[in-house]
Amino acid sequence: MSFQILLNFFLAFLWMFLSSNYSLSRLIIGYLLGLLVIIALRKFFKTRLYVDRVWAVIKLTVLFIKELILANITVLKLVIKPKLDMQPAFFKYDTTLTEEWEITLLSSLITLTPGTVVVHVSDDSKSLFIHVIDSQDIDETIDSIKYSFEKAILEVSRS
Amino acid sequence: MKTNDVILQFTAKIVFFIIFFYAVHIFFAGHYTPGGGFVGGLVTSSAIVLLIIAFDLKTVKSILPINYLYLVAVGLLLALGTAAFSMFVGEPFFTHFFDYFNLPILGKTSLHTAALFDLGVYLVVVGVTMTIIQTIGDDE
């Protein structure tokens, strides 16, 4: 993955040096050409194309923005309800993520989508303890959200 | 009771670089816009303090093996040297010199000896702040 990015930059600089016109536009054109070549020869690489991973990051961002808007509307409904009938609860959520950055990202995503707050990461980093604002029928939906987030993060990190 | 600070530690690692870059930016921006050596030094020490909070004193000391007292001394020497340099040329104490140079990559840049004095201030501020915090933090 990092090798592909390096190769792409190398090709971009090569393109810039082939024409003795050292400008940013030339570099960008070379980069795009190198990208085309790398995509064409993707069979030679042992790992995924890094463009694939960039695409996964973009998908994760879009998913996060969508969830943020939806969850904020849910909390707004809870706030303007005349009756307070919500039942807060803590629950333990077992994660399959291992890397530090993955756990941090997942926790941040869970915390930034309102209704759920990560309060603690277990000592072996295998489970998160999450506080949920309304535990009545929301457990399944929250789990589905988690699986969508977790799946998206795994999509980014798998080699 | 050692808790698992994975989120804090990872975030501190990333944010440290952002704060440090901001400190360098504010240091160099000091001539024409708000900023300068003092603020830059304080922001830099705040970045190191964030590392100390996220990890602990021993780890940070092994990562950044800097004797901050020497840093204060170097900063004071630099400031004094910049101020005293003009006396050897026959100008009054604290006369600054500046000129425009055509550097190979950066193009036309104005270099000013006030920046060196500011660097001295920066080093002194970082050194003093970190000395205070480490001395207080060491008292177990």
Side-chain angles (χ1 to χ4, degrees), chain A residues 100-101 104 107 121-123 125, chain B residues 2 4 6-7 10-11 13:
Chain A
E100 257 188 20
W101 67 269
T104 308
S107 310
V121 184
S122 72
D123 286 353
S125 301
Chain B
K2 196 90 180 75
N4 190 357
V6 58
I7 299 173
F10 179 78
T11 316
K13 272 185 229 165

Side-chain angles (χ1 to χ4, degrees), chain B residues 30-105:
Chain B
H31 200 70
Y32 299 109
T33 48
F38 187 78
V39 189
L42 279 182
V43 174
T44 306
S45 12
S46 77
I48 303 173
V49 168
L50 176 71
L51 278 188
I52 291 178
I53 289 171
F55 296 89
D56 53 47
L57 264 173
K58 274 202 185 71
T59 319
V60 176
K61 265 185 186 166
S62 67
I63 294 169
L64 297 167
I66 303 167
N67 190 338
Y68 290 104
L69 283 174
Y70 288 160
L71 207 64
V72 176
V74 169
L76 283 173
L77 274 177
L78 196 62
L80 192 67
T82 313
F85 172 75
S86 52
M87 294 170 72
F88 297 112
V89 197
E91 298 280 344
F93 185 61
F94 249 124
T95 309
H96 281 302
F97 305 96
F98 68 96
D99 203 352
Y100 293 95
F101 296 96
N102 269 321
L103 296 178
I105 298 167

